[in-house]
Amino acid sequence: MTSIEILPLIALVAMFAIATFFPINIGILGFIGAFVVGYFALGYDDKEILTAFPSSIVLTIVGVTYFFGMAKRNGTIDLLVNSCIRAVNGRVTVVPWVFFFTASVLTALGTFSPAAVALIIPAAMAFAARTHMSSLVMGIMVINGAHAGAFSPISVSGVLVRDIVESNGLSIAPWTLFFSSYGINLLLSVLTVVGYAALARTRGLEFSATGSTDAAPLGGSRDGAPHRTTLPTGGGSSSSSSGAPGTRVLTRPVSTTLIDAPAPVTRAQKLTLFLIGALLVLVLVLHLPISFIAIAAGAVLAFTDLKKQNDAIADISWSTVLLVAGMVTYISILQEVGTIDHLAEMAITIGAPLIVAFVLCYVIGVTSAFASSTALLAAVIPLAMPLLGTGALPVVGVVAALAISATVVDVSPFSTNGALVLANAQNIERPRFYRQLLLNAGIVVAVAPALCWLILVVVPELL
């Protein structure tokens, strides 16, 4: 590789490092890098640099987050979550799977994974506190559920991966990608519940994997403000008369009822439910672009509450727009320079194609635990395209393995999803819960990429 190919790659690594340790959107760095490399190394003008600007993806992000931001503000998302809980009559062991399913439906419809987690995790963590269920298990269930639906044909991540593959002259079955992601995340959730349940029985852990119907108030105040409660260090219910040393834990008021009383459905919520159904039909059946349909649906909802228009615009995930647009633009410049092709050629020289796929799964999995999964999808998947172009490995299997490896590790407290879980945990010490999330993330990083590679790449290759 020449210096003109190596320097942009070093810059890419530096971008991820800077975005990891400083609160700077990596997309901004991507635009700067695209300009520096494109203008000074390739002699491109601004129009040539922006040739690969992902306008369709940007418009999809704007439309989807705008529409679901309106749905969140008028209470439709809460309505769907509570309806799912009532549908199973509040059965404790079933409710975590309801949150998993609800999160997967939201992301499959086009909601961003962090947005879906942010919408559901407060209710999920409150339910875990009511039923003495492990906050770790509940948090993992919600995150895995959000990831399960994240690669649907109409989701932003699904569209992004499909565009990357098709821009390289290959094709991928969108539903195969979706079901691969759903299956892997479902399997990881089952393993999490079974593993934690076994650990809870053998080591006598404070919380259970599935919760208990013996719900009890855990401390709080009538005005809804959190206050300090003393819990014995060995677990169990709070006690103020034992005199034994205890651990101070920040608690929040928790209702003793497992199922909230149904609230009347408003006209705005009925309209939102109709628009969600119409969006599904128009996009999945008539194959209309979700970007324009979602924007139109959001505009219709806007007329139900014109006073909140500024808030609705603020709900658009502008940070994700910057991230995706900047990284895709920069990676396109790397392709023009020849860096991507040379890296792919070097990867192929490692040895057997299966080993190359294995290495790429771990590269994207380990890095994604600390950096943006979406940015890594745009950076790493193109590396596998020349290899897939040889026909040595199944396209959908390798792409799905890479895409899923990049997202399943988002249980790390350094990721947005992990941070949301940590922020909403109740009745557990934050430093202790942080260590639990970190340990779990380490296990997932060690196991998940190999599992994806084995199930999605090796098994299809042997069949």
Side-chain angles (χ1 to χ4, degrees):
M1 294 179 67
T2 63
S3 59
I4 196 65
E5 296 168 344
I6 296 175
L7 290 177
L9 182 61
I10 295 175
L12 179 63
V13 175
M15 289 178 197
F16 280 109
I18 293 172
T20 299
F21 294 104
F22 299 97
I24 298 177
N25 190 303
I26 194 173
I28 294 176
L29 302 178
F31 278 123
I32 296 172
F35 169 73
V36 172
V37 176
Y39 186 83
F40 293 102
L42 299 177
Y44 286 179
D45 59 23
D46 56 340
K47 293 181 179 179
E48 291 173 313
I49 292 173
L50 295 174
T51 300
F53 182 85
S55 54
S56 62
I57 298 176
V58 167
L59 200 58
T60 298
I61 295 172
V62 171
V64 168
T65 53
Y66 175 60
F67 175 59
F68 278 95
M70 297 289 293
K72 174 187 175 182
R73 290 192 174 277
N74 66 24
T76 303
I77 301 299
D78 291 334
L79 174 68
L80 292 173
V81 171
N82 291 330
S83 297
C84 289
I85 295 175
R86 283 194 297 272
V88 296
N89 294 320
R91 286 191 286 270
V92 173
T93 56
V94 178
V95 170
W97 294 102
V98 171
F99 285 118
F100 174 95
F101 173 74
T102 305
S104 70
V105 170
L106 288 178
T107 52
L109 290 176
T111 308
F112 275 107
S113 172
V117 173
L119 292 172
I120 294 175
I121 202 64
M125 286 306 199
F127 188 88
R130 289 183 216 171
T131 58
H132 214 62
M133 176 184 173
S134 167
S135 296
L136 178 64
V137 174
M138 180 62 87
I140 293 172
M141 294 285 285
V142 174
I143 292 176
N144 286 349
H147 291 157
F151 291 98
S152 77
I154 64 173
S155 69
V156 174
S157 296
V159 172
L160 174 64
V161 171
R162 193 165 65 251
D163 282 355
I164 292 174
V165 174
E166 291 177 352
S167 66
N168 285 272
L170 300 174
S171 61
I172 183 172
W175 286 109
T176 304
L177 175 63
F178 169 69
F179 286 118
S180 297
S181 174
Y182 210 103
I184 292 292
N185 282 281
L186 182 61
L187 175 61
L188 289 174
S189 296
V190 171
L191 292 176
T192 298
V193 173
V194 172
Y196 191 93
L199 197 63
R201 291 193 187 96
T202 56
R203 299 188 60 182
L205 298 182
E206 181 179 356
F207 300 102
S208 67
T210 55
S212 169
T213 55
D214 298 327
L218 294 175
S221 60
R222 292 182 182 275
D223 61 1
H227 70 268
R228 292 286 182 179
T229 299
T230 300
L231 296 182
T233 54
S237 59
S238 63
S239 174
S240 59
S241 60
S242 63
T247 301
R248 304 287 282 180
V249 180
L250 180 64
T251 64
R252 299 177 184 177
V254 181
S255 172
T256 58
T257 59
L258 297 183
I259 310 178
D260 295 329
V265 181
T266 65
R267 291 183 178 179
Q269 291 170 346
K270 291 178 181 178
L271 176 60
T272 305
L273 293 173
F274 170 78
L275 290 173
I276 290 175
L279 183 145
L280 290 175
V281 172
L282 293 173
V283 173
L284 295 179
V285 178
L286 301 180
H287 304 290
L288 296 178
I290 186 175
S291 52
F292 291 103
I293 300 301
I295 289 175
V300 172
L301 283 183
F303 284 98
T304 64
D305 193 349
L306 293 174
K307 295 180 180 179
K308 295 183 179 179
Q309 267 306 283
N310 290 334
D311 295 334
I313 298 298
D315 284 336
I316 295 174
S317 185
W318 297 113
S319 61
T320 306
V321 169
L322 275 174
L323 187 152
V324 172
M327 286 308 300
V328 170
T329 303
Y330 185 72
I331 295 302
S332 70
I333 294 295
L334 289 188
Q335 290 176 322
E336 292 292 331
V337 171
T339 304
I340 299 298
D341 290 337
H342 277 86
L343 284 175
E345 291 172 3
M346 292 174 62
I348 292 175
T349 60
I350 292 176
L354 284 174
I355 303 301
V356 176
F358 181 80
V359 171
L360 290 178
C361 282
Y362 267 97
V363 167
I364 196 170
V366 172
T367 311
S368 184
F370 303 94
S372 166
S373 300
T374 307
L376 282 169
L377 287 175
V380 176
I381 288 181
L383 295 178
M385 291 300 104
L387 173 65
L388 296 177
T390 65
L393 294 174
V395 175
V396 67
V398 174
V399 172
L402 291 175
I404 298 168
S405 296
T407 55
V408 294
V409 297
D410 279 351
V411 292
S412 162
F414 302 115
S415 68
T416 303
N417 289 336
L420 285 169
V421 170
L422 180 63
N424 284 277
Q426 299 183 22
N427 303 314
I428 185 171
E429 292 175 291
R430 292 292 167 80
R432 174 187 171 194
F433 191 48
Y434 170 82
R435 291 191 296 270
Q436 290 180 358
L437 284 172
L438 201 59
L439 176 61
N440 177 76
I443 295 173
V444 173
V445 168
V447 174
L451 187 65
C452 293
W453 172 78
L454 180 63
I455 295 176
L456 299 175
V457 180
V458 176
V459 172
E461 186 69 9
L462 296 176
L463 294 179

